[in-house]
Amino acid sequence: MSTHRVVVQAPDPRGLRAVTVDGVPAGSAWSRRDLRRQLRRAGLPPGMDLEDRASVTRRGAHGTVWPDRTGRRRATIALLTAGLLVSALLLADARNTGRYGVQRRTVASTF
């Protein structure tokens, strides 16, 4: 039995559940696996019983409810990555072209 008090909040609109250990924020969890990771980082034993109601309190949803929106998160990451790559390409192209889109010439040194 653990002497620590763990509180797992209801999922927010993104699916994250806030986790506190003894009143101190321990992070957020997408899944049961993430919850175990946050508890290990907070110094709790890895084999802690998450179903023990004396040490783990869940607010707003049962422990089996983890509304992880993986598809939405991955789509957002893909869009952000694509935008970053396009921006990098445009900036690289802008460095090679001068004013009015004319290609810059490099003059070879004759020394």
Side-chain angles (χ1 to χ4, degrees), residues 31-102:
S31 64
R32 198 172 170 89
R33 182 176 170 185
D34 282 343
L35 176 61
R36 287 206 179 275
R37 185 179 305 132
Q38 296 298 336
L39 295 178
R40 273 196 315 269
R41 286 181 184 167
L44 276 71
M48 181 179 173
D49 182 16
L50 297 178
E51 300 305 320
D52 180 18
R53 292 181 183 217
S55 59
V56 179
T57 303
R58 288 182 171 78
R59 295 190 179 150
H62 190 266
T64 59
V65 177
W66 295 93
D68 184 11
R69 293 170 177 83
T70 307
R72 182 182 287 175
R73 277 192 298 134
R74 289 186 179 158
T76 302
I77 290 169
L79 271 169
L80 289 173
T81 303
L84 180 66
L85 290 174
V86 168
S87 296
L89 287 173
L90 290 173
L91 286 172
D93 186 49
R95 288 185 58 144
N96 291 332
T97 58
R99 197 176 214 180
Y100 309 115
V102 178

Side-chain angles (χ1 to χ4, degrees), residues 17-31:
R17 297 182 81 163
V19 180
T20 58
V21 177
D22 296 329
V24 178
S28 298
W30 291 105
S31 64

